Amino acid sequence: MAGEDAVAPDAGAAAGRRPGAKGHTALVGSGLLLIGVALAAANMRPAVTSLASVLGEIRSSLGQSTTWASVLTTVPTLCFGLAGVAAPFLARRLGLARGIGLALAVLAVGLTVRAVDGPSAVLAGTFLACGAIALCNVLVPVVVKESFPHRMGMATGIYTSAMAAGGALGSALTPRFALWFDGWRLPLATWALLALAALCVWSVAARHDRSAAPAAPSTTPDRQGSLLRSPLAWAITLFFATQALIAYVVMGWLPEVLMAVGHDAATAGLLLAVVMVVGVPMSLLTGPLIARSPTQSWWAAGLGGLAAVGILGLLVAPLWAPLLWALTLGIGMAVFPLALTLISLRTRSSAETARMSAMAQSLGYLIAATGPFLFGLLHDATGDWDVSLLMVLGVLVVQTVLGVIAGRPRYV
């Protein structure tokens, strides 16, 4: 179909034997590799959501200020933006298999370090962990494109579903672990076991096909550095930035908004869990459909509209049908797999996918880091959440327009 053709311009190579970028062979697209991709993706959110779920307890036990907590919560998006720049260089130097394996090892170390000492260790460990996640954020989609060219939609759906499930588990289980172990340190360090499990599977699954001939030197002009001059590349980048901004506003502030209108803390936490968990089936369902669609513009418009319904519901009638608003907002936030899929669909080669992914995620997360700060600043300035929610609606409009533009079938 059209979407499949778009992501496999060199479809004459057999699946699992396709040459990768820079003359290296692709990783063998086996079922075990897909499990490795899913486990790697499951590690990309618990480092953030587990920390947020016990942040108050961490701050109290360490005697730190709200300013320190604000710095700590800013680290993930900044790392996602800054460390992702190094991903294409790391992939060229080490290859995808070793690069992702190294990132998973560093993630396990960072998750352990932040639980062993005081405020400096928490900051340093979070920086290490989120820097490692940033590398996986950029490199894993390249594996999806390169090793599963004819099943890219299915592989992207599994990847994004595992990411959503990992984030939900980190948020839901860490507070329970903290009660069982009477403290936050061991529960935070426990997530290093998931990183080690992913590393073990990845070490076995990530194999290059040695029988496949390396790619012949490309006859097309070298496009290194050209993405910054591509309007489509900027549309994809800003589309990624706006959807990430909204996602981090929702993850960071939705409980506060719900409690301000009369919901108790337990209900507010449950509704946030609904928003996050609904992304699991949505990613599985929409991933293959998005990749096979001849255009992705209608997906961007539809998902943006559903998210807008959820935000409008919170703004106009927050107590009338909160579960409905959570469901529509959660479905609308399934725009994340669309953003990832567009990075692959709009590039011609694995090397170009890596550069597009680095550009979109590095600049995108840096822009997204401003969202939660502005959302809270507007609340402080106005005394309620209405203007803040209107800001989110404005960003949703921009996101939808950018998605419609980026969804038209062509290459950067």
Side-chain angles (χ1 to χ4, degrees):
M1 295 187 178
E4 292 169 335
D5 293 341
V7 299
D10 52 347
R17 293 170 55 96
R18 298 174 66 239
K22 301 291 184 181
H24 297 293
T25 54
L27 300 180
V28 178
S30 64
L32 187 59
L33 181 67
L34 194 57
I35 294 173
V37 166
L39 283 173
N43 277 277
M44 292 184 191
R45 291 298 177 264
V48 178
T49 58
S50 63
L51 184 71
S53 65
V54 291
L55 183 59
E57 183 178 348
I58 295 172
R59 187 167 65 87
S60 298
S61 67
L62 296 178
Q64 296 302 300
S65 65
T66 303
T67 301
W68 178 86
S70 299
V71 171
L72 184 63
T73 55
T74 303
V75 167
T77 47
L78 290 179
C79 282
F80 293 166
L82 297 174
V85 176
F89 171 79
L90 186 66
R92 289 194 297 270
R93 297 284 294 181
L94 300 179
L96 288 173
R98 291 180 179 175
I100 293 173
L102 176 62
L104 290 171
V106 172
L107 174 60
V109 171
L111 292 172
T112 303
V113 165
R114 70 179 184 178
V116 300
D117 204 352
S120 297
V122 174
L123 284 170
T126 301
F127 183 85
L128 279 175
C130 292
I133 293 169
L135 297 177
C136 288
N137 277 342
V138 176
L139 298 182
V140 173
V142 179
V143 175
V144 170
K145 177 185 177 71
E146 189 174 276
S147 298
F148 304 97
H150 306 297
R151 295 178 289 165
M152 197 195 71
M154 177 271 292
T156 299
I158 291 174
Y159 160 64
T160 53
S161 296
M163 187 183 299
L169 288 174
S171 178
L173 295 182
T174 305
R176 293 184 179 274
F177 290 163
L179 290 175
W180 294 344
F181 296 114
D182 195 26
W184 56 269
R185 294 184 184 275
L186 188 57
L188 285 188
T190 298
W191 294 103
L193 297 176
L194 182 61
L196 290 174
L199 177 60
C200 290
V201 173
W202 186 260
S203 299
V204 177
R207 296 180 294 108
H208 293 279
D209 189 346
R210 302 303 179 186
S211 65
S218 175
T219 58
T220 58
D222 185 4
R223 296 176 59 83
Q224 287 282 355
S226 65
L227 293 181
L228 291 175
R229 298 192 295 273
S230 167
L232 178 56
W234 277 107
I236 294 170
T237 297
L238 294 175
F239 177 64
F240 188 95
T242 50
Q243 65 83 26
L245 185 153
I246 293 168
Y248 278 91
V249 164
V250 170
M251 286 189 285
W253 287 109
L254 182 59
E256 292 292 323
V257 173
L258 292 169
M259 287 188 287
V261 298
H263 294 288
D264 57 48
T267 301
L270 179 61
L271 290 170
L272 177 59
V274 169
V275 172
M276 297 177 67
V277 170
V278 76
V280 176
M282 282 302 301
S283 295
L284 285 172
L285 291 171
T286 62
L289 295 175
I290 289 171
R292 293 190 179 99
S293 298
T295 176
Q296 287 70 44
S297 296
W298 289 109
W299 285 101
L303 292 172
L306 283 170
V309 169
I311 296 297
L312 279 171
L314 292 172
L315 183 63
V316 177
L319 295 174
W320 178 66
L323 181 59
L324 176 61
W325 311 143
L327 286 171
T328 54
L329 183 57
I331 294 171
M333 285 173 61
V335 74
F336 176 62
L338 170 60
L340 292 179
T341 302
L342 285 175
I343 291 172
S344 292
L345 289 176
R346 301 296 173 256
T347 50
R348 293 178 174 85
S349 67
S350 298
E352 198 167 70
T353 301
R355 295 198 301 276
M356 185 68 256
S357 185
M359 176 179 173
Q361 298 201 49
S362 298
L363 296 178
Y365 280 122
L366 288 175
I367 295 170
T370 65
F373 174 76
L374 289 175
F375 194 86
L377 185 66
L378 288 172
H379 173 264
D380 288 343
T382 62
D384 60 40
W385 295 107
D386 290 355
V387 177
S388 299
L389 290 170
L390 287 172
M391 179 201 79
V392 174
L393 276 177
V395 175
L396 267 171
V397 172
V398 175
Q399 171 197 293
T400 302
V401 172
L402 291 167
V404 170
I405 293 171
R408 298 167 185 164
R410 62 203 189 282
Y411 294 112
V412 296

